[in-house]
Amino acid sequence: MSGVHLVFPPGFEALEEELRRVGIPVSGRDYNLEQFHAGVLSGSVHAPVAFLYGPQPEQSVASYLRLVEEIRIRKPNLRLIFVFGDLSRDREIIEGLVSLGVYDIHIRPEFEAEEVREWVSRPRTIAYARLLLAGVETPDGEEAEDAPSPETGSVLPPPQPTPVHDAPPKKRGLFRRRDAGTEKKSEEKPGLFARLFSRKKRDEAPPPPPPPPPSPPPAVRDGVLVFADPAVERAVRKAGFRVVSDPRRALLAVATPDRAAFAPSDLPLLILRTGAASDVLIAARYPNARLIAEEELENELRALLEEPAPEPERPAPVFKPEPEASPQAEPAPASSSPTVPPSPPPSSPPPPPPDSRSPEARSVRVISGKGKDDRLTVPGRGVIYVVSPGDPGLAGETAARIARALPKSALVCAGGMSTAAIALGIPEAVLVEADWRIPGAKAPLEKDGITVWPVDPEKFLDVRDALPNALVSQIRSRFAVTVVDAAGDLTLTAGAPRNAVVIVLKSGSELVDRLTDRWLREHGKNALVVLPHETVRAEPFGDGALVRKIGRFSAAALGDEN
């Protein structure tokens, strides 16, 4: 028989020995519900069944049920068996336990070890719990199948009185809590006729069915654990994801800061920020957690679960081919033409981007990381930030060069001084109407096979509602790699996605480089530092990209520049 974990106050010291005598091993012991709750959260409770003494006078009803709810959340497969001495006195607690899915509840002023063995082997059902709350007692081991149902409105037949005698003798029990200094024992024994009648009834009863086999663990993980308000659950379902309650079926967890402790430590965790300063401190306690805004939840779920977002409709072309180009002339190379290829007719939807997860497109799955030889690997749908605190224009040139080297990539100009769009060859006159920070702008643009969200550096806008990192989170699931031109602003990388890498270009200025080194010590875990005499080279690798730095005057660099 499976072992049990006892949660009984002082006065039940003989219970552990008697349970072992009837074949029930005891794997642990706590003296109150708070100790048991702490043991469950710390992972020190390993038994599949816990046997608890229901009355807890030191706990209020709300605190009592909150502790049981947290135990159920942390260990949903742990079976809880409660024993109470009086139904009317503890009815409020018992109703709360039933609402939490705890049906193994027994009302016994006294009980024996053999009864406990029967309770452990025969789980109770919700039908028994309804009968119990209705005040109808059923013998142990019998199924209560005629419980009233809220759906059908059936009426429970009144219990039949026992025809033997008016006042059946009180059953002698083995365990009763003794007060300190009290050693009085009951000498009452059931009469001979009552014992014979009980034995005859037990012999004539059909043998109990074998206990149901334990449910096997789920075969697949296909859902999201949610420890938040119902509105968050509805948002997860609306986004097309399954909400599950079994941690074994979960791929990741979503929680508010006050409920993050309930999430399993072996799953990725998204913590929804509330705006309080303590959010960052709470998220720092969990190495598997990421702090996000609630409006970013859908995009983060799609990124972590690798579910691409629906492809939006392409905007109309931003500008037309140059007028001096003749229709009969050969088309100019893509790198020399600042024009945008025409979009398909409005009646036909644009073709969806190729799925980078398909084996035909890329056969190797890449994870983000930094090698010993100063190489950065960028996963599929990853993000590359390029920043140069001392020379913002150098960041724009480098970001444009990286985007050209990676097919089907995106380029985002994140700052007011970002010049990557100009480095790609988009005319400055076009940027006047294509600044993505302005509502109604003609963005994005298509240039040389790259989707560009440009800015107009000459506007010097202070648009606080345009958040570059929010834009990156929304679009990165549609492209193989997203390149971000952060110009000279290191703070733009603070809200970067978890799998993003940062390329930091040093300018040679002593003061600026000293401040940059200080930033690298605190935030440069996934950063590639490029010195003034070096440059970077990017190339497709697996489902993502490989970025490495080389000497500026090496043959490889010259070939890349040409």
Side-chain angles (χ1 to χ4, degrees):
M1 182 173 289
S2 302
V4 300
H5 188 100
L6 294 182
V7 185
F8 275 76
F12 290 88
E13 283 74 14
L15 177 58
E16 183 174 344
E17 181 180 352
E18 289 296 321
L19 290 180
R20 289 195 175 99
R21 179 183 61 81
V22 298
I24 302 178
V26 177
S27 61
R29 170 73 184 270
D30 289 311
Y31 289 96
N32 55 52
L33 188 59
E34 285 186 341
Q35 292 180 358
F36 179 56
H37 170 265
V40 171
L41 295 185
S42 63
S44 60
V45 177
H46 304 289
V49 179
F51 185 33
L52 301 93
Y53 183 71
Q56 299 280 333
E58 67 278 1
Q59 293 285 338
S60 64
V61 175
S63 176
Y64 187 107
L65 297 178
R66 179 180 59 81
L67 293 176
V68 175
E69 180 182 12
E70 294 177 2
I71 292 171
R72 294 278 293 160
I73 291 175
R74 180 53 62 94
K75 292 184 73 71
N77 296 324
L78 175 63
R79 184 176 162 215
L80 303 178
I81 302 177
F82 286 85
V83 59
F84 292 87
D86 185 80
L87 174 62
S88 60
R89 183 180 58 194
D90 300 309
R91 171 176 287 275
E92 188 175 359
I93 291 179
I94 295 174
E95 290 176 348
L97 292 175
V98 173
S99 67
L100 293 175
V102 179
Y103 308 133
D104 287 290
I105 302 173
H106 304 269
I107 309 300
R108 292 288 188 276
E110 299 177 356
F111 59 90
E112 299 181 358
E114 287 79 4
E115 290 181 280
V116 179
R117 181 174 60 182
E118 182 70 16
W119 297 344
V120 173
S121 62
R122 296 285 307 272
R124 293 300 178 98
T125 63
I126 188 174
Y128 170 81
R130 291 172 177 168
L131 285 175
L132 181 67
L133 293 175
V136 180
E137 291 287 345
T138 58
D140 286 341
E142 294 185 7
E143 293 294 335
E145 298 295 343
D146 297 328
S149 173
E151 294 81 4
T152 60
S154 61
V155 180
L156 183 72
Q160 298 297 328
T162 304
V164 180
H165 46 269
D166 295 335
K170 184 180 180 181
K171 185 177 180 181
R172 182 176 178 229
L174 177 61
F175 298 104
R176 170 182 287 175
R177 182 175 182 179
R178 306 186 185 94
D179 297 330
T182 304
E183 299 294 337
K184 184 178 180 180
K185 299 181 179 179
S186 174
E187 298 296 335
E188 286 189 23
K189 294 183 179 180
L192 177 61
F193 182 79
R195 294 199 301 272
L196 293 177
F197 179 78
S198 176
R199 183 178 303 173
K200 180 176 182 296
K201 184 177 181 182
R202 184 175 63 250
D203 294 341
E204 293 177 354
S215 59
V220 294
R221 291 178 178 263
D222 58 354
V224 180
L225 275 176
V226 179
F227 302 98
D229 297 334
V232 179
E233 292 189 13
R234 292 193 294 268
V236 174
R237 290 191 177 96
K238 186 177 180 181
F241 300 97
R242 182 190 303 273
V243 176
V244 297
S245 58
D246 189 347
R248 299 173 301 173
R249 294 189 58 181
L251 290 167
L252 58 86
V254 178
T256 52
D258 58 328
R259 303 182 188 180
F262 300 153
S265 58
D266 58 341
L267 293 177
L269 173 61
L270 297 178
I271 299 180
L272 304 176
R273 67 171 78 243
T274 60
S278 59
D279 291 351
V280 179
L281 298 178
I282 294 175
R285 299 176 188 172
Y286 308 101
N288 60 325
R290 175 173 174 80
L291 189 64
I292 64 169
E294 188 170 348
E295 57 268 16
E296 300 174 352
L297 177 60
E298 179 177 351
N299 295 320
E300 291 293 336
L301 289 175
R302 295 191 186 281
L304 291 176
L305 300 181
E306 297 187 352
E307 291 288 341
E311 177 74 9
E313 186 178 354
R314 294 279 184 181
V318 177
F319 49 87
K320 299 179 180 180
E322 295 181 355
E324 60 269 15
S326 173
Q328 291 80 14
E330 291 293 331
S335 60
S336 62
S337 173
T339 61
V340 176
S343 301
S347 58
S348 61
D355 190 354
S356 60
R357 296 174 293 173
S358 62
E360 295 80 1
R362 291 176 172 85
S363 58
V364 180
R365 181 179 177 83
V366 180
I367 60 175
S368 60
K370 182 178 180 182
K372 295 181 179 179
D373 54 351
D374 285 336
R375 295 188 178 189
L376 286 177
T377 53
V378 184
R381 301 187 179 91
V383 184
I384 303 175
Y385 282 77
V386 184
V387 58
S388 177
D391 188 356
L394 180 60
E397 296 174 2
T398 305
R401 187 167 61 251
I402 293 175
R404 281 197 187 101
L406 302 177
K408 300 179 179 62
S409 60
L411 178 61
V412 175
C413 295
M417 299 185 67
S418 298
T419 57
I422 298 177
L424 276 180
I426 298 178
E428 297 183 16
V430 175
L431 300 180
V432 175
E433 298 181 345
D435 194 321
W436 67 268
R437 300 172 297 175
I438 302 175
K442 299 177 181 179
L445 306 178
E446 292 290 336
K447 182 69 172 72
D448 300 347
I450 305 170
T451 306
V452 186
W453 276 262
V455 299
D456 184 4
E458 298 182 1
K459 280 190 169 61
F460 303 103
L461 292 178
D462 183 17
V463 184
R464 300 184 184 276
D465 294 334
L467 303 177
N469 290 324
L471 171 64
V472 172
S473 298
Q474 292 174 9
I475 68 172
R476 66 190 182 99
S477 61
R478 296 165 42 196
F479 302 95
V481 176
T482 301
V483 184
V484 181
D485 175 15
D489 193 354
L490 285 169
T491 60
L492 290 175
T493 63
R498 180 165 47 186
N499 60 352
V501 299
V502 182
I503 298 176
V504 180
L505 306 173
K506 287 192 173 183
S507 61
S509 172
E510 181 180 356
L511 177 60
V512 175
D513 289 349
R514 185 167 72 247
L515 296 176
T516 302
D517 291 337
R518 181 177 300 177
W519 181 89
L520 288 169
R521 285 194 297 269
E522 298 181 3
H523 309 286
K525 179 181 178 181
N526 225 21
L528 178 66
V529 180
V530 182
L531 301 178
H533 63 278
E534 298 172 329
T535 186
V536 295
R537 184 173 186 177
E539 56 188 22
F541 179 70
D543 66 339
L546 175 66
V547 182
R548 56 191 176 93
K549 62 181 182 179
I550 55 180
R552 183 177 294 273
F553 300 104
S554 66
L558 294 176
D560 182 59
E561 294 290 342
N562 296 330

